[in-house]
Amino acid sequence: WPSRATRGWGGCKGGRWLGKPEAGSMADDSEAVEYVSRIFQVRKTLWSLLSDRGYEVQDSDRTDTVQGFKEKCTNGGVICEPERLTIRVHKPKHEKRRAVVLFSGKKDKFATDDVKHFFSQIDEEWNKYDMAHSTDSLTAIFVIHKSMTSFAKKVMVSEHQKRNSGA
């Protein structure tokens, strides 16, 4: 396996988003392949869901193959940058009616820092498109690998309420 720096793991919390297999470990290799396959299926489902709800989705995204997904979203078949999985779409003829899908990466716990990071990404998305009018909307979908801590749930509710109240 290449060094962490060449694989892009250096900036990930805990050193990596997806466990680096130990030399000769078949179990870790199959776990990585299974995880990539699962994320690919999740993304295919999300593309269909967004299309069904009237968002503009490219045919190439709906019909993407596992190989195409690996080329776009992984480093040598390993997902170490969840930001590369992010999905952004908008309604036809309504550029400011948007949806964004954010992925947490392969973490055992989704904590308060992760929630804050997600909401900062939502704020960036909102500001990027200069959204302010009452007709503008941004739907966010969070894809979390395992469980969320109770504190993270409280922060998520608080951040959501803050944004809906206009504070």
Side-chain angles (χ1 to χ4, degrees):
W1 281 80
S3 71
R4 286 183 184 203
T6 60
R7 294 299 299 250
W9 288 326
C12 300
K13 286 187 179 179
R16 62 188 187 273
W17 285 100
L18 181 62
K20 179 178 124 185
E22 297 302 319
S25 171
M26 295 290 280
D28 288 333
D29 250 358
S30 65
E31 179 186 327
V33 169
E34 180 183 329
Y35 178 67
V36 169
S37 296
R38 200 167 358 149
I39 294 298
F40 169 73
Q41 288 301 320
V42 167
R43 281 178 53 95
K44 277 193 78 91
T45 301
L46 285 163
W47 286 122
S48 292
L49 177 141
L50 292 165
S51 177
D52 292 347
R53 282 157 183 75
Y55 288 95
E56 211 169 84
V57 174
Q58 303 298 316
D59 286 336
S60 60
D61 291 322
R62 270 193 304 228
T63 60
D64 201 7
T65 64
V66 174
Q67 188 59 37
F69 167 73
K70 285 181 180 178
E71 289 170 10
K72 283 188 286 192
C73 299
T74 70
N75 289 336
V78 177
I79 298 170
C80 66
E81 298 172 38
E83 291 81 16
R84 291 173 73 178
L85 302 172
T86 300
I87 295 173
R88 292 176 174 87
V89 292
H90 62 85
K91 298 270 186 165
K93 300 179 186 171
H94 298 284
E95 185 74 23
K96 292 188 178 187
R97 290 191 182 169
R98 307 190 62 76
V100 62
V101 181
L102 303 170
F103 290 78
S104 70
K106 190 174 183 185
K107 303 176 95 183
D108 288 334
K109 291 283 184 190
F110 190 75
T112 56
D113 286 346
D114 302 311
V115 172
K116 289 176 183 177
H117 177 69
F118 269 17
F119 275 99
S120 73
Q121 288 180 287
I122 290 169
D123 292 340
E124 285 175 24
E125 194 79 13
W126 185 264
N127 294 329
K128 180 179 179 180
Y129 294 97
D130 194 31
M131 298 170 68
H133 305 290
S134 60
T135 58
D136 300 349
S137 66
L138 178 63
T139 300
I141 301 171
F142 297 160
V143 179
I144 300 169
H145 177 67
K146 286 198 176 176
S147 61
M148 185 184 303
T149 66
S150 60
F151 290 117
K153 289 177 187 175
K154 290 176 185 175
V155 170
M156 185 171 286
V157 169
S158 169
E159 291 291 328
H160 175 70
Q161 288 172 340
K162 223 190 299 185
R163 282 158 181 79
N164 279 344
S165 69

